[in-house]
Amino acid sequence: MPAKNKILVTGGAGFIGSHLIDRLVKKGNRVTVFDNLSSGKTEFIEDHLENPDFTLIEGDLLDQDVIEEACKGIDLVCHVAANPDVRLGASDTRVHLDQNILATYNLLEAMRKNHIKKIAFTSTSTVYGEASIIPTPEDYGPLIPISLYGASKLACEALITSYSHTFDMQAWIFRFANIVGPRSTHGITVDFIQKLQKNSDMLEILGDGKQEKSYLHVSECVEAILFLIENSDEKVNIFNIGSEDTISATEIGKVVMEEMGLSNVKITYTGGNRGWKGDVPRMRLGIEKMKSLGWKPVYTSERSVRDAARVLLRRM
Ligand code: NAD
């Protein structure tokens, strides 16, 4: 990626998006953040607000005219905005259709009309559903998501690959494991901290606590995104981004307790082999494709979770 590219980052004021823009600005790009600040925060991007090469557009991807205007003169779109709450789909069946699928369609239309040819998209391990092969490689199939969130992200991937082929675009699709780190506002680490801050005698863990998943630190996630955009050049480039091991829900609970200096916490379980309907109990992504290009994570899942918990505790 040559410096001084004009890059639009949707969702750039959110957890992962704000780390991505930190790096993009540092590399000398001109960055525009497009965010409706529904879960994003201006404090996450405040270091850049005075930078002449940085623009914040407070807008909603469901507003076609606004996103079309924002896309003018852009070289690369990093589409990070979404509703990332996997659990929500079980109680609100519309939210992922609107915020993920329709929002992505609006963005692709805005790109098509403005002749923008490059898009990077933040997808997810949940597109694989309950994969029978673990670690799960990018060419695993059929893809059978079990959450409405996973379904919506797979639909977004399909729209992006189809637009790429139909309208001569180039796409990078990144299927993330669980990403943790500073500015995280949701997920199991945040959840456990909040529960233990309310009651430090007891921790309720959803499911049986044996759910085993891969966790990656946000700094490594962002490093991988930029490395892969710079080092792959197919029409459609699909990569898993995750760590090389897993950590269980119970082990995360113990890490959080240690970081909070708590002992003698009674752990209870809600039971069943998954946290909620649509939760995939075992997830680890095959990252050979990314490694073959020369990038691999350094942190283990435990180290990433521990580091995230430590930093989050300073602010929560
Ligand atoms: P986040 O909620 O912190 O970030 C999402 C951002 O998008 C927020 O700033 C929000 O205000 C913005 N946004 C939402 N709807 C919008 C709309 N209609 N118009 C404009 N802006 C909108 O979430 P995150 O954890 O940083 O996730 C970022 C991306 O990575 C998402 O696409 C998510 O699906 C994906 N992802 C995250 C994880 C993870 O572990 N955090 C794992 C896999 C994939």
Side-chain angles (χ1 to χ4, degrees):
M1 217 187 302
K4 286 281 178 196
N5 263 319
K6 289 189 198 151
I7 303 178
L8 181 83
V9 182
T10 70
F15 162 47
I16 298 171
S18 63
H19 287 278
L20 180 62
I21 65 138
D22 286 348
R23 294 285 176 99
L24 290 172
V25 169
K26 205 169 174 192
K27 276 175 165 275
N29 297 289
R30 286 205 192 147
V31 175
T32 300
V33 163
F34 186 92
D35 200 301
N36 68 359
L37 301 179
S38 53
S39 60
K41 296 188 166 76
T42 40
E43 67 184 76
F44 291 169
I45 54 172
E46 68 191 354
D47 287 353
H48 308 297
L49 294 174
E50 303 295 319
N51 181 340
D53 282 336
F54 180 86
T55 310
L56 168 63
I57 298 175
E58 198 177 330
D60 198 307
L61 282 165
L62 296 180
D63 191 338
Q64 184 72 52
D65 294 342
V66 181
I67 184 61
E68 246 172 71
E69 187 60 30
C71 277
K72 286 197 168 36
I74 294 293
D75 301 310
L76 165 71
V77 173
C78 294
H79 180 30
V80 183
N83 184 308
D85 186 347
V86 189
R87 290 169 68 180
L88 196 57
S91 56
D92 180 346
T93 56
R94 180 87 204 179
V95 66
H96 294 125
L97 176 75
D98 287 337
Q99 299 301 327
N100 300 353
I101 304 176
L102 293 178
T104 300
Y105 166 75
N106 284 350
L107 175 64
L108 287 166
E109 275 298 278
M111 288 179 63
R112 180 180 69 81
K113 290 179 185 166
N114 283 292
H115 310 287
I116 301 169
K117 297 295 181 192
K118 290 174 194 262
I119 179 167
F121 175 61
T122 53
S123 191
T124 153
S125 64
T126 62
V127 297
Y128 294 115
E130 285 186 87
S132 57
I133 299 175
I134 292 176
T136 312
E138 288 87 350
D139 58 4
Y140 175 86
L143 300 180
I144 307 176
I146 61 164
S147 60
L148 299 196
Y149 168 74
S152 72
K153 286 295 207 175
L154 183 55
C156 293
E157 287 194 11
L159 280 173
I160 290 168
T161 61
S162 309
Y163 266 73
S164 297
H165 283 274
T166 311
F167 302 111
D168 200 21
M169 296 176 178
Q170 190 179 19
W172 288 264
I173 291 173
F174 301 115
R175 295 177 179 156
F176 294 162
N178 291 317
I179 310 301
V180 291
R183 304 178 194 153
S184 172
T185 50
H186 55 96
I188 187 167
T189 315
V190 174
D191 230 35
F192 284 177
I193 292 175
Q194 284 169 343
K195 280 181 174 173
L196 287 166
Q197 281 176 335
K198 265 192 206 142
N199 180 357
S200 58
D201 296 328
M202 205 189 91
L203 178 64
E204 181 191 69
I205 295 182
L206 304 181
D208 58 10
K210 292 183 183 147
Q211 304 94 301
E212 287 261 349
K213 304 187 196 190
S214 157
Y215 289 77
L216 186 75
H217 197 272
V218 67
S219 59
E220 294 204 301
C221 171
V222 165
E223 217 177 86
I225 291 175
L226 298 183
F227 175 87
L228 293 169
I229 293 176
E230 279 166 17
N231 289 281
S232 59
D233 200 23
E234 301 292 323
K235 176 168 271 301
V236 173
N237 306 275
I238 301 181
F239 290 97
N240 287 335
I241 298 185
S243 61
E244 298 205 86
D245 64 352
T246 56
I247 182 169
S248 73
T250 299
E251 283 163 344
I252 293 177
K254 288 181 179 158
V255 167
V256 172
M257 287 173 210
E258 280 166 22
E259 291 304 320
M260 293 177 80
L262 299 172
S263 51
N264 300 322
V265 176
K266 184 176 160 40
I267 298 180
T268 64
Y269 297 96
T270 58
N273 70 344
R274 66 190 75 223
W276 59 88
K277 274 206 165 136
D279 182 27
V280 175
R282 287 177 66 226
M283 179 272 286
R284 187 181 147 202
L285 299 173
I287 58 168
E288 292 310 313
K289 191 174 172 191
M290 164 168 92
K291 280 165 74 177
S292 71
L293 291 183
W295 193 90
K296 66 175 184 159
V298 174
Y299 289 4
T300 58
S301 291
E302 200 241 91
R303 164 88 194 269
S304 296
V305 168
R306 187 175 294 283
D307 183 275
R310 195 168 294 171
V311 177
L312 288 168
L313 277 164
R314 285 189 213 130
R315 291 175 148 252
M316 289 172 68

